[in-house]
Amino acid sequence: MDQFLDQALTPARFALLLGVGVAVLLIVLGFVTYAIYFERKVLGWMQLRIGPNRTGPLGLLQTVADVFKLLIKEDTIPHKADRGLFILAPALAFVPSFACLAVLPFSENLQLANLNVGLLYYAALSSITTIAIVLGGWASNNKYALLGGMRSAAQMISYEIPLVMSVVGVVLLSGSLNLRNIVEGQLGGFWNWNFIPQIIGFAVFIVAAVSELNRTPFDLPEAESELVAGYHVEYSGFRFAFFMLAEYVYVFAIAALTSVLFLGGWDAPLPVLDIIPGILWFALKFSFVVFFLIWIRGTLPRVRIDQLMGLGWKVLLPLALANIFITAIVIELKDAFS
């Protein structure tokens, strides 16, 4: 794949790359469609409800019908909204979420772009969505939307810091920001995976990632009990769908990134299981992380805004800093006695 990307850009290669991009987009859209269905069914199972079961066999077409409904709904823009920014915000939220997928290695041979600074690329692009959410809230000319946008800015900036710092220990252990190199440093079985030596960083990463996704129990920007619907309250139809699409694409990205950084990526838990293709191990770990995110949503109540901010600054940030120092000291001691 790397040699292919290094070749000169010809019309044929451009068409092939475009086709690969479209294929990845269709896969992600399929994931989003059925991740929503899966989430509804799992939450129903956890809460002794049925979930979707009417539209199509086993309710499999319910989410498809919902997406179609959003696409054909009337597109309304508030009269006093900032029209340009109002239109820009949903696209600005989605594009970075999709672009983040380019650097994620799904198996030994399946990665769109093998960047030396892949982790830095992911962190930088994912931060752009904060701007989109603030833009959407401000451009709507609605006080509830503005409050939701400001909450989101405060929340995502606060949790972006411990999120990034929690993976510094992984970078120290692997000596690289390249996601493929990070996975290759964990090969050989689950005892080599980073979640064991980096258990503190792993815990901080999971909590901060849930907050970055604006999902329960950290869904304060969309708190319908006090903000109606938050930053996207004035959006309808396909523009509203773009915000929801961005959220679930980030679920895809975070689950994949967690698998890469802490769970060995495509590595089998035992060397004797290497006969099973790596992409299947990656898919299994990825699915477990997605299930865990749904489990959290179905279990925990929404926190208050002061509890949310206090957790980020008073708990997660010190833990992330402590993890960096502990990891650096252990590495130095190991080098000194080896």
Side-chain angles (χ1 to χ4, degrees):
M1 176 64 77
D2 297 337
Q3 295 176 350
F4 175 76
L5 292 174
D6 290 337
Q7 296 173 8
L9 186 63
T10 63
R13 287 194 66 250
F14 176 78
L16 183 57
L17 289 173
L18 183 62
V20 170
V22 171
V24 173
L25 178 60
L26 292 176
I27 291 171
V28 171
L29 291 177
F31 164 81
V32 170
T33 300
Y34 283 98
I36 297 172
Y37 169 81
F38 181 67
E39 182 165 22
R40 290 174 174 176
K41 295 296 282 189
V42 170
L43 290 176
W45 168 63
M46 289 180 175
Q47 299 167 356
L48 299 180
R49 295 184 289 107
I50 297 175
N53 68 334
R54 296 283 183 178
T55 310
L58 302 176
L60 287 170
L61 296 180
Q62 180 62 59
T63 309
V64 177
D66 292 341
V67 171
F68 181 70
K69 179 187 70 174
L70 286 174
L71 293 178
I72 64 174
K73 279 177 72 75
E74 180 184 3
D75 176 33
T76 59
I77 299 178
H79 178 63
K80 293 186 177 181
D82 187 318
R83 187 178 182 86
L85 295 180
F86 188 89
I87 294 172
L88 175 64
L92 191 60
F94 169 71
V95 172
S97 69
F98 183 67
C100 286
L101 305 180
V103 294
L104 295 172
F106 301 104
S107 71
E108 304 93 323
N109 303 312
L110 184 56
Q111 183 180 15
L112 295 179
N114 185 21
L115 301 184
N116 288 331
V117 290
L119 186 56
L120 189 62
Y121 168 93
Y122 181 98
L125 273 187
S126 62
S127 302
I128 296 176
T129 301
T130 306
I131 302 174
I133 290 176
V134 175
L135 274 183
W138 184 83
S140 297
N141 193 33
N142 178 299
K143 61 181 179 181
Y144 296 112
L146 179 59
L147 284 172
M150 296 306 294
R151 275 187 179 185
S152 183
Q155 175 176 329
M156 296 178 79
I157 291 172
S158 298
Y159 279 81
E160 189 80 29
I161 298 171
L163 180 73
V164 173
M165 294 182 68
S166 67
V167 302
V168 173
V170 172
V171 174
L172 290 174
L173 289 177
S174 63
S176 175
L177 287 167
N178 185 302
L179 294 175
R180 178 177 291 274
N181 292 346
I182 290 174
V183 175
E184 290 173 349
Q186 303 175 72
L187 300 180
F190 73 90
W191 51 84
N192 293 323
W193 296 354
N194 285 331
F195 84 93
I196 297 177
Q198 287 294 300
I199 188 64
I200 297 176
F202 180 59
V204 172
F205 180 87
I206 290 295
V207 176
V210 174
S211 181
E212 280 288 291
L213 293 171
N214 290 333
R215 289 175 61 86
T216 307
F218 305 123
D219 59 338
L220 275 299
E222 305 171 13
E224 69 279 355
S225 58
E226 61 258 36
L227 296 183
V228 187
Y231 61 90
H232 52 55
V233 66
E234 295 289 357
Y235 283 89
S236 63
F238 74 96
R239 299 190 201 280
F240 173 81
F242 260 86
F243 278 117
M244 292 298 97
L245 180 62
E247 177 181 328
Y248 278 92
V249 172
Y250 272 124
V251 169
F252 182 100
I254 282 291
L257 186 65
T258 304
S259 304
V260 166
L261 293 178
F262 295 101
L263 302 179
W266 62 81
D267 184 45
L270 297 172
V272 295
L273 299 175
D274 282 339
I275 56 174
I276 300 175
I279 187 66
L280 295 181
W281 288 118
F282 186 94
L284 187 63
K285 298 170 188 177
F286 169 88
S287 300
F288 172 77
V289 176
V290 172
F291 173 79
F292 178 78
L293 293 175
I294 298 173
W295 185 9
I296 291 294
R297 179 174 181 176
T299 304
L300 300 178
R302 180 183 298 140
V303 300
R304 297 196 314 265
I305 188 70
D306 60 311
Q307 295 172 329
L308 173 79
M309 302 304 290
L311 177 64
W313 290 108
K314 296 178 182 179
V315 179
L316 296 187
L317 183 58
L319 283 176
L321 283 170
N323 181 64
I324 294 173
F325 282 107
I326 292 171
T327 303
I329 291 170
V330 169
I331 291 175
E332 284 298 319
L333 290 176
K334 185 181 295 184
D335 292 341
F337 289 101
S338 61

